[in-house]
Amino acid sequence: MTQLEQILPQIPSPCYVVEESLLRRNLTLIQSVAQRAGVEIILAFKAFALWKTFPIFREYISHTTASSLSEARLAAELFGSKAHTYSPAYTDEEFETIVSCSSHITFNTLSQYRRFYRQSLGRCSLGLRVNPEYSEIETELYNPCAAGSRFGILAADLPSSLPEGIEGFHIHCHCESGSDVFARTLKHIEEKFSPWFAQLKWINFGGGHLMTRADYDVDLLVSTLQDFRSRYPHLKIVLEPGSAFAWQTGPLVTRVVDIVENSGVKTAIINASFTCHMPDCLEMPYHPAIRHAQTLETDNLDTARTLPYTYRIGGNSCLSGDFMGLWQFDHDLCIGETLIFEDMIHYTTVKTNTFNGITHPSIGMLHSDGMFELLRRYGYEDYRDRMD
């Protein structure tokens, strides 16, 4: 029995549980990569923004990346350092505050640069997002280099001399990718943009570098970055993964509240929701693991009808498609039983919603000493006040 399973009676359901020992494992690896490669790796809030864990993060990293006014304020006010900020489009109403909370400002287009650079010149290091027109991301929803993308400036549209104040390039074209993908992509980046490198002080290779995944070739990442630095020693290199920090650092603990059978297919309804609380399961689509169950890589309902102890899992919302399947257990599920969805910390709490007014899962931390701390419990007021 795991440490988490030993304290299940202390954990409210549903609840996201960050396991401190697993978080520190990831942070230690990321810090090691940064030191070995001679680069800076910063946290992208778009995947993880649980600010009550920031004291732990500050033991390993110094900066974060933001994509909005709220994220920039979170960096400056609660992480304790100004953000590396990029947004597809800044607005007049927010830009002044964003500048005050940022050490770096990246513009998505030349028109955005022309509109706002005077307001930020001399106050932040300025950069442009560029588009290498190459990405190996297979899910189109997450591909920033797809034809017609709204992200970044093409090499053909850059002036030979960069605009006043531009010191860096920001390039993001990975999504939970391996270091082999980065090595191949880097060739395209250099082919497209190396003519401008002499004019730069820094280059940000974005996120999507899943260096904490078990099969990730960390040594290849380090050597690839070292080789790039040897060719361009004047460039400071930044990576800003999100998932890598929170990868496999804790589950979502739920409870079965009903079991429905229709046409021979059993669906276990839980007190949480895929569309509300596990959105990547439907968007990617990503088929999560459930502890002590076998994930069946099929949606064939005949399998559900014939294999014993096989269930779809249904969310507790009114969306017809709020379900996933199939999983096989070693027993018949019963109402009140706990189901633990593995690896549910990254891209969950930052993307959840209150559709149907379903109670948002609590957030807790299992500390390294085995003590459970409830960080936040949500209720009716949180739903109500969204629309106040």
Side-chain angles (χ1 to χ4, degrees), residues 180-207:
D180 57 325
V181 177
F182 176 58
R184 290 191 293 271
T185 304
L186 191 55
K187 295 178 181 178
H188 292 265
I189 292 171
E190 288 192 70
E191 178 184 334
K192 293 278 188 183
F193 297 108
S194 59
W196 289 275
F197 285 176
Q199 302 177 53
L200 302 177
K201 293 182 179 180
W202 54 266
I203 187 165
N204 184 327
F205 288 121

Side-chain angles (χ1 to χ4, degrees), residues 60-295:
Y60 300 87
I61 65 170
S62 300
H63 295 92
T64 59
T65 180
S67 296
S68 65
L69 170 60
S70 292
E71 288 187 346
R73 287 190 59 181
L74 193 71
E77 297 175 12
L78 291 176
F79 196 87
S81 61
K82 292 187 175 184
H84 293 233
T85 303
Y86 158 81
S87 175
Y90 300 106
T91 64
D92 292 318
E93 296 81 8
E94 297 182 347
F95 191 69
E96 177 59 33
T97 304
I98 286 175
V99 170
S100 70
C101 295
S102 302
S103 61
H104 294 66
I105 293 283
T106 295
F107 298 104
N108 186 56
T109 63
L110 290 171
S111 63
Q112 279 270 297
Y113 163 82
R114 289 189 290 268
R115 183 174 174 182
F116 292 109
Y117 88 95
R118 294 189 187 279
Q119 199 171 338
S120 49
L121 189 63
R123 302 171 64 190
C124 302
S125 181
L126 306 184
L128 297 174
R129 178 163 177 170
V130 294
N131 186 333
E133 303 174 77
Y134 177 87
S135 174
E136 297 186 21
I137 298 173
E138 295 180 357
T139 304
E140 198 72 357
L141 181 66
Y142 293 91
N143 184 359
C145 298
S149 172
R150 72 189 193 280
F151 294 131
I153 305 164
L154 305 185
D157 297 326
L158 276 175
S160 57
S161 294
L162 293 175
E164 179 185 6
I166 294 299
E167 298 181 336
F169 278 173
H170 177 110
I171 305 166
H172 176 68
C173 48
H174 296 87
C175 179
E176 299 186 355
S177 304
S179 53
D180 57 325
V181 177
F182 176 58
R184 290 191 293 271
T185 304
L186 191 55
K187 295 178 181 178
H188 292 265
I189 292 171
E190 288 192 70
E191 178 184 334
K192 293 278 188 183
F193 297 108
S194 59
W196 289 275
F197 285 176
Q199 302 177 53
L200 302 177
K201 293 182 179 180
W202 54 266
I203 187 165
N204 184 327
F205 288 121
H209 309 273
L210 194 49
M211 60 192 75
T212 51
R213 189 178 63 203
D215 62 349
Y216 189 95
D217 190 340
V218 172
D219 290 337
L220 176 60
L221 174 65
V222 171
S223 63
T224 300
L225 290 168
Q226 289 174 335
D227 289 345
F228 184 85
R229 287 185 62 234
S230 70
R231 294 192 294 278
Y232 310 100
H234 69 290
L235 285 179
K236 178 178 180 178
I237 300 171
V238 179
L239 278 70
E240 50 177 43
S243 292
F245 283 95
W247 185 258
Q248 295 184 338
T249 56
L252 172 60
V253 177
T254 68
R255 186 174 68 249
V256 176
V257 292
D258 199 8
I259 296 172
V260 177
E261 185 168 354
N262 186 316
S263 301
V265 177
K266 293 180 180 179
T267 299
I269 299 178
I270 58 173
N271 61 342
S273 162
F274 291 102
T275 190
C276 297
H277 309 136
M278 297 176 272
D280 275 359
C281 293
L282 302 183
E283 290 180 4
M284 278 296 283
Y286 163 62
H287 200 165
I290 296 178
R291 191 169 300 188
H292 304 310
Q294 179 183 355
T295 305

Side-chain angles (χ1 to χ4, degrees), residues 350-363:
V350 292
K351 294 179 74 172
T352 55
N353 61 73
T354 57
F355 173 60
N356 269 176
I358 296 173
T359 300
H360 191 287
S362 300
I363 303 175

